[in-house]
């Protein structure tokens, strides 16, 4: 459907003329039909009133109320002569005679509107309604019968309204013809008048539209339609010349600003005084994970759902000075943003808008957290064996322990802690080396690597009476890998499966070829990993059960080394586990071409 603003002036005027004509016709039809109908009804009431009075005089003269058969005959005769339905009703509402219906089948008429009105005002009553007896709409007219000032009954006359409707229909046809002729003449005159006014304006409008679309070289032809339009054309030409110069300057400046904003790492949002967004650069859209179309022209709080951003912006507007705050924002991932709110002031020092500069410092904060956690964990892991060693050494040095067995036991504990400390340092150095270097992957046979690891660890499984199963698909292809690193991954995963599976349990290693990948799976039915810990088991020094891990010789770095090696091979490691039901670790290597 066309919008009114998209319709031309000429068409608007024509539509207005047509609507006015239709309204005039409609109101005229309503006025004439209503008034004519009332006129004809009033004439019909007068006619029925005169006829009812004639009937009343005949009834009183012949005393017909006491002679029902004679009254019925007279009623039929009166009706036949005037094509009018005549009904005589007693004071109790009983029908004595009716010209069109058997009185025995008619009900009490005391509740008929025209009868009630005639009795109440003691003169006459009328109503229009549909007659179930006759089967069409009727005009009823009733007058009371009085004898010696005593109410005796009612005379009711009625005629159908079909005659009035037919007369009104003929009148409407005449009026319609007249108004159609009038409307056609008015529209033709209106069209000619509109065309003479609008045509020169259309010429001016088309040229102005081309100028507004950027064709600044276009000029309006100055024709002497009339002095007002000529002045308009001259002003448009002058405006086009001025705009051509200004727009060229503005476009160049705009392109420079857009290039700067597009290339900025920091997000930038410009708002007006009401907080509605007028500009947002790609960096800001990435930070808030939002499209420009969904935020431009809308308020910050309704687009970003961040009360803090809106609050700090209003605070900067109120203070008329820049403020910086660190904000946490979630959509859907949580981000930490360093936001600077800068109010823009006009010549009168009134706030006309503002600029928000945003720096995503989420990764920086994560690195700080990782660093702090790493320092704390390393300190803890190093302090534990060192404290134990220092304690036993102090005991040996300060106490005169002559029992050789006790001295040997203390020295053995110190040796164990020293070895554990050495393993921890080696693991840290190994992890640092893996993270800082990239390795050249070579074609190699995965079956050979797995066979060596199985030969190395199957004795450990046998010592714990663990059912150790190995399933290797036939004809495995070569894969891209660094043999020693994949060997370290498999040793770590299988050794963990054996350590954390109770005696009599099961450890299953499975290797299969699927598409362009070879999948490795290490599955056990041991203690399992709680759901809350599964996302963190690959972090450095993270242990589900710290006491048991230390007792089994774990440093908390093994799975972190595994994840980094797998990533270096362009793969990813997945874990499926349920507490008390065991765990399954899966990774893949790409098939060599």
């Amino acid at each position: 459907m066309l919008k009114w603003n998209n319709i031309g002036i000429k068409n608007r005027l024509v539509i207005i003329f047509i609507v006015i004509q239709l309204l005039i016709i409609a109101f005229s039809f309503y006025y004439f039909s209503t008034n004519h109908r009332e006129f004809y009804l009033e004439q019909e009431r007068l006619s029925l009133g005169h006829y009812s009075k004639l009937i009343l005089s005949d009834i009183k003269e012949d005393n017909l109320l006491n002679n029902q058969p004679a009254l019925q005959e007279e009623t039929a005769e009166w009706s036949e002569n005037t094509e009018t339905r005549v009904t005589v009703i007693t004071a109790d509402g009983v029908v004595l005679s009716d010209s069109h219906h058997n009185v025995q089948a008619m009900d009490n008429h005391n509740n008929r509107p025209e009868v009630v009105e005639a009795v109440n005002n003691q003169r006459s009553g009328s109503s229009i309604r549909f007659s179930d007896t006759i089967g069409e709409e009727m005009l009823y007219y009733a007058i009371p019968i009085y004898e010696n000032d005593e109410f005796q009954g009612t005379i009711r006359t009625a005629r159908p309204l079909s005659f009035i409707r037919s007369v009104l229909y003929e009148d409407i046809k005449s009026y319609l013809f007249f108004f159609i002729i009038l409307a056609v003449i008015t529209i033709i005159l209106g069209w000619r008048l509109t065309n003479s006014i609008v045509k020169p304006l259309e010429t001016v409008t088309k040229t102005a539209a081309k100028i507004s679309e950027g064709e600044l070289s276009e000029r309006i032809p100055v024709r002497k339609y009339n002095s007002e339009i000529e002045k308009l054309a001259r002003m448009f030409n002058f405006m086009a010349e001025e705009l051509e110069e200004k727009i060229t300057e503005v476009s160049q400046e705009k392109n420079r600003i857009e290039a700067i904003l597009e290339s900025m790492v920091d997000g930038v949002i410009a708002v007006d005084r009401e907080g509605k967004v007028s500009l947002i650069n790609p960096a800001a859209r990435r930070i808030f994970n939002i499209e420009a179309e969904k935020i431009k022209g809308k308020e910050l709080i309704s687009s970003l759902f961040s009360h803090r951003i809106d609050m700090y912006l209003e605070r900067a507007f109120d203070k008329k000075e820049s403020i910086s705050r660190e904000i946490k924002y979630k959509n859907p991932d949580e981000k930490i943003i360093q936001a600077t709110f800068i109010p823009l002031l006009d010549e009168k020092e009134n706030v006309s808008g503002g600029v928000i500069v945003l720096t995503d410092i989420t990764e920086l904060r994560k690195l700080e957290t990782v660093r702090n956690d790493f320092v704390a964990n390393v300190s803890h892991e190093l302090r534990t064996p060192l404290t134990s060693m220092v304690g036993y050494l102090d005991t040996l040095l300060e106490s005169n322990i002559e029992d050789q067995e006790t001295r040997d036991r203390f020295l053995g504990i110190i040796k164990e802690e020293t070895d554990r400390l050495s393993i921890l340092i080696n693991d840290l150095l190994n992890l640092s080396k893996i993270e800082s270097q990239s390795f050249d992957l070579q074609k190699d046979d995965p079956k050979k690597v797995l066979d060596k690891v199985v030969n190395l660890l199957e004795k450990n499984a046998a010592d714990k009476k663990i059912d150790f199963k190995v399933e290797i698909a036939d004809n495995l292809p070569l894969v891209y890998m660094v043999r020693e690193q994949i060997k370290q991954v498999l040793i770590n995963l299988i050794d963990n499966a054996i350590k954390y599976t109770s005696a009599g349990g099961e450890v299953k290693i499975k290797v299969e070829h699927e598409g362009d990948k070879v999948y490795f799976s290490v599955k056990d039915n041991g203690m399992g990993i709680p759901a809350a810990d599964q996302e963190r088991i690959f972090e450095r020094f993270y242990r589900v059960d710290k006491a048991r891990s230390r007792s089994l010789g774990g440093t908390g770095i093994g799975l972190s080394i595994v994840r980094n090696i797998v990533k270096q091979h362009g793969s990813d490691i997945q874990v499926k586990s349920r507490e008390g039901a065991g765990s399954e670790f899966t990774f893949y290597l790409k098939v060599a071409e």
Side-chain angles (χ1 to χ4, degrees):
M1 183 180 289
L2 288 175
K3 293 183 178 180
W4 179 254
N5 293 335
N6 296 332
I7 301 175
I9 296 176
K10 184 194 297 183
N11 293 331
R12 289 192 199 183
L13 292 175
V14 171
I15 290 171
I16 290 172
F17 277 125
I18 293 174
V19 170
I20 290 173
Q21 291 302 313
L22 292 175
L23 289 174
I24 290 173
I25 292 172
F27 284 125
S28 299
F29 276 178
Y30 176 77
Y31 175 78
F32 284 115
S33 61
T34 302
N35 281 275
H36 279 217
R37 187 172 186 271
E38 289 300 322
F39 172 76
Y40 289 129
L41 286 173
E42 188 59 32
Q43 293 299 315
E44 198 71 6
R45 288 191 188 95
L46 290 174
S47 175
L48 290 174
H50 291 312
Y51 187 53
S52 297
K53 290 177 181 178
L54 291 174
I55 294 172
L56 178 60
S57 64
D58 287 346
I59 290 175
K60 288 183 176 181
E61 182 179 345
D62 299 333
N63 196 23
L64 295 174
L65 285 177
N66 299 320
N67 188 351
Q68 188 173 8
L71 179 62
Q72 184 64 40
E73 290 179 6
E74 287 294 329
T75 301
E77 185 178 347
W78 294 331
S79 175
E80 185 178 355
N81 291 337
T82 60
E83 297 181 355
T84 302
R85 180 184 177 187
V86 180
T87 308
V88 180
I89 307 165
T90 67
D92 297 332
V94 178
V95 179
L96 287 176
S97 66
D98 189 90
S99 59
H100 286 67
H101 200 68
N102 182 7
V103 298
Q104 302 298 327
M106 298 178 69
D107 55 2
N108 192 287
H109 276 46
N110 258 355
N111 62 343
R112 298 297 191 269
E114 65 278 358
V115 175
V116 174
E117 184 181 354
V119 173
N120 290 339
N121 61 27
Q122 298 182 1
R123 292 180 61 187
S124 65
S126 66
S127 68
I128 298 172
R129 68 175 188 277
F130 185 83
S131 173
D132 295 328
T133 304
I134 304 301
E136 62 177 303
E137 193 174 32
M138 304 284 287
L139 170 63
Y140 293 95
Y141 191 90
I143 60 173
I145 304 172
Y146 286 96
E147 188 174 340
N148 298 325
D149 293 332
E150 185 176 345
F151 178 62
Q152 299 293 321
T154 310
I155 297 172
R156 187 183 71 176
T157 55
R159 286 178 184 166
L161 297 181
S162 56
F163 171 74
I164 295 177
R165 284 197 296 269
S166 63
V167 173
L168 285 174
Y169 179 70
E170 292 299 325
D171 290 345
I172 288 173
K173 286 198 296 183
S174 301
Y175 295 146
L176 181 61
F177 177 76
F178 169 75
F179 283 118
I180 288 175
I181 296 298
L182 180 61
V184 170
I185 294 172
T186 306
I187 290 172
I188 292 173
L189 292 175
W191 177 268
R192 290 180 62 84
L193 176 63
T194 303
N195 199 49
S196 65
I197 296 173
V198 173
K199 191 171 183 179
L201 287 176
E202 287 181 345
T203 304
V204 174
T205 303
K206 288 178 181 177
T207 309
K210 291 181 180 179
I211 294 174
S212 67
E213 291 171 359
E215 299 180 23
L216 300 179
S217 59
E218 288 288 330
R219 296 293 181 268
I220 298 173
V222 180
R223 298 176 182 175
K224 295 183 179 179
Y225 298 112
N226 55 62
S227 59
E228 286 78 12
I229 297 177
E230 182 181 347
K231 290 179 182 178
L232 178 64
R234 292 185 184 278
M235 289 305 299
F236 263 103
N237 290 338
F238 175 75
M239 179 188 68
E241 293 174 0
E242 292 292 317
L243 282 176
E244 191 170 6
E245 296 179 5
K246 298 296 182 184
I247 289 177
T248 301
E249 294 177 7
V250 171
S251 296
Q252 292 175 351
E253 188 64 27
K254 178 176 177 290
N255 292 335
R256 282 195 293 269
I257 293 173
E258 285 183 350
I260 293 171
L261 290 174
E262 292 285 329
S263 60
M264 284 182 65
V265 177
D266 291 340
V268 176
I269 299 177
V271 299
D272 59 17
R273 182 60 186 87
E274 286 72 35
K276 293 182 179 179
V277 177
S278 57
L279 180 146
I280 179 169
N281 74 336
R285 295 199 298 270
R286 287 193 298 270
I287 289 172
F288 293 113
N289 191 26
I290 194 170
E291 297 177 7
E293 294 75 15
K294 293 183 178 180
I295 189 172
K296 276 190 177 180
K298 297 181 180 179
E299 294 183 355
L300 276 174
I301 191 169
S302 62
S303 303
L304 304 180
F305 304 105
S306 176
H307 293 274
R308 286 186 174 274
I309 293 177
D310 188 68
M311 178 184 69
Y312 291 136
L313 179 64
E314 284 298 322
R315 190 175 296 176
F317 285 170
D318 293 339
K319 292 184 176 181
K320 296 183 180 180
E321 61 182 29
S322 301
I323 60 174
S324 295
R325 292 292 185 274
E326 192 172 292
I327 299 170
K328 289 185 178 180
Y329 183 81
K330 190 172 184 179
N331 184 23
D333 300 326
E334 186 175 82
K335 293 183 178 180
I336 302 173
I337 304 166
Q338 183 67 38
T340 302
F341 301 86
I342 308 166
L344 301 178
L345 307 178
D346 57 18
E347 295 86 354
K348 298 180 180 180
E349 295 297 315
N350 294 324
V351 177
S352 59
V355 175
I356 306 172
V357 181
L358 308 157
T359 305
D360 189 350
I361 58 173
T362 308
E363 292 302 321
L364 179 62
R365 289 289 180 267
K366 285 183 179 178
L367 289 174
E368 290 179 355
T369 302
V370 170
R371 183 193 64 187
N372 293 335
D373 290 346
F374 178 74
V375 171
N377 287 328
V378 168
S379 301
H380 178 75
E381 294 296 332
L382 292 176
R383 184 171 61 249
T384 301
L386 284 174
T387 301
S388 178
M389 291 166 60
V390 170
Y392 283 107
L393 285 172
D394 287 343
T395 303
L396 289 173
L397 292 173
E398 296 176 3
S399 302
N400 187 17
I401 300 176
E402 296 180 357
D403 186 3
Q404 187 62 35
E405 183 179 348
T406 302
R407 292 173 62 86
D408 291 344
R409 183 166 59 84
F410 282 7
L411 290 172
I413 293 172
I414 293 171
K415 177 65 168 61
E416 288 178 5
E417 295 296 338
T418 304
D419 292 342
R420 182 160 161 254
L421 191 60
S422 177
I423 292 171
L424 176 61
I425 293 171
N426 287 334
D427 282 348
L428 285 172
L429 292 173
N430 193 13
L431 178 59
S432 177
K433 180 180 178 181
I434 292 170
E435 289 179 340
S436 62
Q437 295 181 4
S438 59
F439 297 92
D440 185 19
L441 305 182
Q442 302 291 331
K443 296 180 182 180
D444 210 332
D445 186 354
K447 185 176 183 304
K448 291 182 178 179
V449 177
L450 182 60
D451 287 343
K452 288 184 178 180
V453 174
V454 169
N455 290 334
L456 184 66
L457 297 175
E458 61 183 351
K459 184 179 183 300
N460 295 348
D463 291 342
K464 290 186 68 174
K465 297 180 181 179
I466 290 175
D467 186 8
F468 196 67
K469 296 181 179 179
V470 181
E471 295 182 8
I472 303 176
D474 296 332
N475 302 319
L476 281 179
L478 299 180
V479 296
Y480 288 116
M481 66 175 174
V482 177
R483 173 178 288 204
E484 290 304 318
Q485 288 188 353
I486 296 301
K487 181 180 177 182
Q488 187 176 1
V489 168
L490 292 172
I491 289 174
N492 200 302
L493 293 177
I494 297 172
D495 186 51
N496 281 349
I498 294 171
K499 284 179 179 178
Y500 295 104
T501 300
S502 301
E506 178 184 88
V507 174
K508 184 178 180 180
I509 297 96
K510 187 176 182 181
V511 184
E512 55 187 350
H513 176 211
E514 185 176 326
D516 62 343
K517 298 172 183 175
V518 172
Y519 288 88
F520 295 78
S521 169
V522 178
K523 185 176 182 181
D524 64 70
N525 61 353
M527 61 187 295
I529 304 168
D533 297 310
Q534 290 179 20
E535 292 184 3
R536 302 194 60 189
I537 58 173
F538 295 103
E539 295 179 10
R540 302 173 186 180
F541 298 110
Y542 188 84
R543 298 185 179 94
V544 177
D545 187 342
K546 294 184 178 181
R548 181 169 183 181
S549 296
R550 284 199 181 96
S551 66
L552 293 173
T555 62
I557 302 178
L559 287 180
S560 183
I561 293 174
V562 166
R563 183 186 62 180
N564 279 278
I565 292 175
V566 170
K567 280 187 176 181
Q568 290 280 2
H569 284 70
S571 180
D572 191 21
I573 187 164
Q574 303 291 333
V575 58
K576 294 180 182 178
S577 182
R578 193 174 62 184
E579 191 173 7
S583 306
E584 180 181 9
F585 289 83
T586 306
F587 70 95
Y588 65 84
L589 296 176
K590 295 180 180 178
V591 174
E593 298 177 354

